[in-house]
Amino acid sequence: VRDPTLGLKVIHLVRDPRAVASSRIKSRHGLIRESLQVVRSRDPRVHRVPFLDAGHKLGVKKEGGGGSDYHALGAMEVICSSMAKTLQTALRPPDWLRGNYMAVRYEDLVVDPIKTLRQVYGFVNLAVSPEMEKFALNMTSGPGYSSKPFVVSARNATQALSAWRTALSYQQIKQVEEYCHQPMALLGYERVGSPEEVKDLSRTLLRKPQL
């Protein structure tokens, strides 16, 4: 980034941590080793946020997930801690980063793909081709939402955005919010106050980000 001959810019794609947690749990078998590595990379000097559900321990069968769900949620503490540090740097950028960093919310990309795509391309001084705009629309206007992990396909944007609200238990949602409240606040992801609020899909839980 410091090399003026490269003109390097950073585009940071982010997503609602609750959706990330849901995806990691859905992909539990493919990500169990990776989740373990993430958890083990935790800084021992940092105070751990305890599980809100004291009975949710490793090896205990819980809503079908057991230990893999435990590790998937535990990994979110490390992931969100790292994300918070990155976003704090972006809020108060050093000279070499100022003007060279852009955060893009996944939710904005799928709700308004053309507008967001043009913003991203404008950030790097490029024009969006009609073919790329057509591709973006197709990828966010598919007929459904795949339940298979690691599959890239056209999908219904509304279903993709709200899938975590039906896939996660209220306890799991509150756990992720406890781990991730700092980056969620900076990125404009609203916390929920009740199970009923989670199920009310007419409410987007999105507000203007601080970045």
Side-chain angles (χ1 to χ4, degrees):
V1 176
R2 289 187 173 93
D3 188 341
T5 64
L6 292 178
L8 184 67
K9 292 180 180 287
V10 178
I11 299 173
H12 184 190
L13 179 64
V14 297
R15 190 178 185 184
D16 190 321
R18 294 162 295 194
V20 175
S22 178
S23 179
R24 295 183 73 88
I25 288 174
K26 185 172 67 176
S27 313
R28 59 172 65 95
H29 299 300
L31 290 176
I32 182 67
R33 290 185 179 178
E34 192 268 353
S35 292
L36 274 167
Q37 289 177 332
V38 172
V39 171
R40 288 168 178 165
S41 71
R42 182 180 58 245
D43 188 339
R45 297 169 296 178
V46 177
H47 174 69
R48 285 205 66 194
V49 177
F51 262 90
L52 298 177
D53 179 1
H56 193 69
K57 300 296 183 182
L58 179 61
V60 177
K61 291 292 182 181
K62 195 80 170 181
E63 298 183 10
S68 55
D69 281 15
Y70 177 88
H71 289 306
L73 286 177
M76 293 306 300
E77 181 181 17
V78 183
I79 290 169
C80 284
S81 175
S82 175
M83 183 185 295
K85 292 178 182 178
T86 298
L87 295 175
Q88 288 296 337
T89 301
L91 277 175
R92 302 173 185 81
D95 291 340
W96 52 267
L97 189 62
R98 190 172 293 113
N100 293 323
Y101 172 92
M102 179 184 191
V104 180
R105 293 193 303 191
Y106 168 84
E107 291 76 13
D108 296 329
L109 188 59
V110 297
V111 169
D112 199 343
I114 299 302
K115 177 183 176 181
T116 308
L117 200 63
R118 288 174 178 173
Q119 289 174 339
V120 171
Y121 270 64
F123 175 64
V124 293
N125 300 315
L126 293 174
V128 187
S129 69
E131 292 79 12
M132 180 56 72
E133 291 186 351
K134 182 178 179 181
F135 173 79
L137 283 174
N138 176 64
M139 293 300 287
T140 55
S141 305
Y145 178 65
S146 174
S147 61
K148 297 180 179 180
F150 310 118
V151 173
V152 178
S153 62
R155 59 182 57 188
N156 180 287
T158 302
Q159 290 185 35
L161 292 186
S162 59
W164 65 267
R165 298 172 74 166
T166 55
L168 295 180
S169 70
Y170 184 65
Q171 197 72 24
Q172 289 173 325
I173 291 170
K174 297 308 291 182
Q175 185 69 61
V176 175
E177 290 180 348
E178 189 70 18
Y179 286 153
C180 305
H181 60 93
Q182 288 183 320
M184 285 178 64
L186 292 174
L187 295 170
Y189 297 119
E190 293 186 4
R191 301 173 73 170
V192 295
S194 67
E196 292 73 27
E197 197 173 323
V198 176
K199 304 304 179 186
D200 182 8
L201 300 184
S202 66
R203 182 173 176 179
T204 65
L205 301 175
L206 289 173
R207 56 177 171 76
K208 187 176 180 179
Q210 296 182 33
L211 290 174

